[in-house]
Amino acid sequence: SRESEGGKWVLMTTAQTPTNIAVIKYWGKRDEALILPVNDSISVTLDPSHLCTITTVAVSPDFEKDRMWLNRKEISLSGARYQNCLREIRSRANDVEDKEKGIKIAKKDWEKLHVHIDSYNNFPTAAGLASSAAGFACLVFALANLMNVKEDHSQLSAIARQGSGSACRSLYGGFVKWSMGKEKDGSDSLAIQLADEKHWDDLVIIIAVVSSRQKETSSTSGMRETVETSLLLQHRAKEVVPKRVLAMEEAIQNRDFVSFAQLTCNDSNQFHAVCLDTSPPIFYMNDTSHRIISLVEKWNRSEGEPQVAYTFDAGPNSVLIARNRKTAVSLLQRLLFQFPPNPETELNSYVLGDKTILQDAGIKSVEDIESLPQPPEISSSFQKYQGDVSYFICTRPGKGPVVLPESEALLDPKTGLPK
Ligand code: DP6
């Protein structure tokens, strides 16, 4: 059998990792280099069949340096965030043996072996849907598998955290808490699963991808400016979030949608208030985002209790969480009524993801959108905003990272280069 020294071989692992949406937001760091937050956060993992990153990592004695491709383009690995993740994973590597392929890698060999990484998102990166969260989680998870790292998902999350804070929450499915921790070295700042995706499977999630003309402030620099200038953030981190996190954990355990929705909406609104309290102020939501909030608030009010929760990250896209399928169907009808597609847009490219919601809404073509009835809670002076939403994605809470079969690899098993 061939040894790891010399001889042509490539060993690979391919993994799939979900993205997540925070319902209690992470905003602000107490340590920039280690990525340690000023408060706990809680998220819902989104179904990876609709939104995920797939990453193949490969090792070979023939590779001359570490290289990475993202969405088919080679990118630099020289940034501190990549270097930190690679170093932390390598230092935990163990002996690896693939008897079938006759490959043996000793623990100490990993320091001198180089890796190739090929990563792609199954959703448009331009949509601004937290691709870095799924990306760093997938990188760390795939490398951990390749290098036979024995640490559990929580410990891996503390490594993914050093790539991008929100990435640590993508190491688990379902409902996840990122504990801010108190150690200086960040060893206790990691993700834990509150409940898996089956715990509350009534929930349906509809994402409105909102067209925006301007480039938004990145989360990293936005939260740095907030930490430097906002007094409201200090109040939020010290007084508001600790209580809200406890209430949210309870709402999730009890599947208490009314509390869950109130906490989610309040926390999204406070996050955007904190952005407005930053100097100079940061605006992430736009008129379309505000109109979606109004639509949901009016409908929730008319129903007497929340049917839908909304939350917005560092951009204008709206993530709407409906209490069950029936409300999701009504929600989609309302959204399509108020935000019909531009002419020539096909229904198939306007509503993506789980299309069964669309079927249940009785919508088979764009013409069916035009004949949707006006929802009773909408005032007669309403306006339609054709084309203000680029498209919708229907999804649900989903599972955590998984290893995929070799047939799904993005790298060629012979050369270790992109296929
Ligand atoms: C608004 O995780 O993208 O989405 O840690 O600097 O990489 P870095 O920031 P990032 O910030 C996410 C902020 C947010 C809220 C959240 O996901 O909790």
Side-chain angles (χ1 to χ4, degrees), residues 374-412:
Q374 179 171 329
E377 76 278 5
I378 290 186
S379 72
S380 50
S381 62
F382 84 95
Q383 235 185 305
K384 293 199 181 198
Y385 297 93
Q386 189 176 42
D388 283 4
V389 170
S390 300
Y391 54 90
F392 296 98
I393 306 170
C394 297
T395 186
R396 64 176 84 83
K399 66 178 178 183
V402 290
V403 172
L404 297 179
E406 191 158 300
S407 55
E408 301 286 319
L410 304 175
L411 293 168
D412 183 305

Side-chain angles (χ1 to χ4, degrees), residues 20-22 24-27 29 35 41-42 81 130 132-133 161 163-167 169 178 219-221 223 271 312-314:
N20 70 79
I21 178 73
I24 301 292
K25 303 294 184 192
Y26 148 53
W27 196 254
K29 298 182 182 73
I35 312 196
S41 56
I42 294 181
R81 290 171 172 220
S132 72
R161 188 203 74 228
S164 183
S166 53
R169 299 184 311 238
W178 173 11
S219 300
T220 306
S221 58
M223 67 177 82
F271 154 51
F312 297 78
D313 277 348

Side-chain angles (χ1 to χ4, degrees), residues 34-280:
L34 286 170
I35 312 196
L36 302 177
V38 296
N39 56 252
D40 293 348
S41 56
I42 294 181
S43 61
V44 180
T45 297
L46 304 183
D47 188 342
S49 40
H50 307 131
L51 295 158
C52 73
T53 296
I54 292 177
T55 302
T56 299
V57 291
V59 62
S60 167
D62 298 326
F63 296 168
E64 282 163 12
K65 55 173 186 158
D66 293 340
R67 293 176 76 182
M68 175 162 180
W69 293 264
L70 179 60
N71 295 320
R72 300 182 190 286
K73 267 180 59 188
E74 183 157 16
I75 61 158
S76 164
L77 281 172
S78 65
R81 290 171 172 220
Y82 281 115
Q83 288 302 313
N84 290 345
C85 288
L86 286 167
R87 186 194 62 242
E88 291 301 313
I89 282 288
R90 267 201 177 96
S91 73
R92 291 166 176 80
N94 290 301
D95 294 350
V96 170
E97 183 169 12
D98 186 322
K99 290 211 172 96
E100 228 168 87
K101 294 191 174 119
I103 301 168
K104 237 171 142 173
I105 304 169
K107 189 178 161 85
K108 61 170 173 33
D109 294 340
W110 285 107
E111 282 165 49
K112 26 187 211 290
L113 285 167
H114 295 292
V115 292
H116 284 182
I117 303 159
D118 194 350
S119 192
Y120 105 99
N121 302 323
N122 75 346
F123 56 92
T125 329
L129 290 167
S131 54
S132 72
F136 276 105
C138 207
L139 172 67
V140 168
F141 182 75
L143 285 173
N145 271 276
L146 180 74
M147 300 183 179
N148 193 20
V149 170
K150 302 281 200 317
E151 273 74 1
D152 66 17
H153 284 215
S154 269
Q155 289 163 318
L156 295 181
S157 82
I159 302 175
R161 188 203 74 228
Q162 298 175 58
S164 183
S166 53
C168 75
R169 299 184 311 238
S170 275
L171 264 301
Y172 288 106
F175 301 82
V176 185
K177 175 162 102 167
W178 173 11
S179 283
M180 63 182 287
K182 46 185 193 297
E183 299 300 333
K184 262 199 109 139
D185 65 0
S187 53
D188 59 348
S189 185
L190 39 75
I192 53 165
Q193 188 178 52
L194 297 174
D196 71 14
E197 64 280 9
K198 287 175 217 104
H199 167 72
W200 198 353
D201 63 358
D202 286 347
L203 301 181
V204 175
I205 299 171
I206 299 180
I207 303 170
V209 176
V210 172
S211 356
S212 92
R213 267 158 280 120
Q214 77 203 54
K215 171 100 185 71
E216 280 100 29
T217 313
S218 79
S219 300
T220 306
S221 58
M223 67 177 82
R224 185 185 305 127
E225 288 160 25
T226 301
V227 168
E228 283 165 5
T229 62
S230 170
L231 278 174
L232 183 55
L233 179 73
Q234 295 178 30
H235 171 70
R236 164 176 166 74
K238 225 186 263 134
E239 308 293 337
V240 182
V241 176
K243 293 184 192 109
R244 230 174 233 173
V245 162
L246 290 176
M248 182 60 92
E249 286 185 58
E250 203 175 294
I252 291 168
Q253 286 317 329
N254 301 332
R255 299 183 202 91
D256 173 354
F257 187 80
V258 171
S259 303
F260 175 83
Q262 274 160 356
L263 292 163
T264 299
C265 297
N266 288 350
D267 202 69
S268 173
N269 290 333
Q270 186 174 73
F271 154 51
H272 291 277
V274 155
C275 291
L276 204 59
D277 191 51
T278 300
S279 165

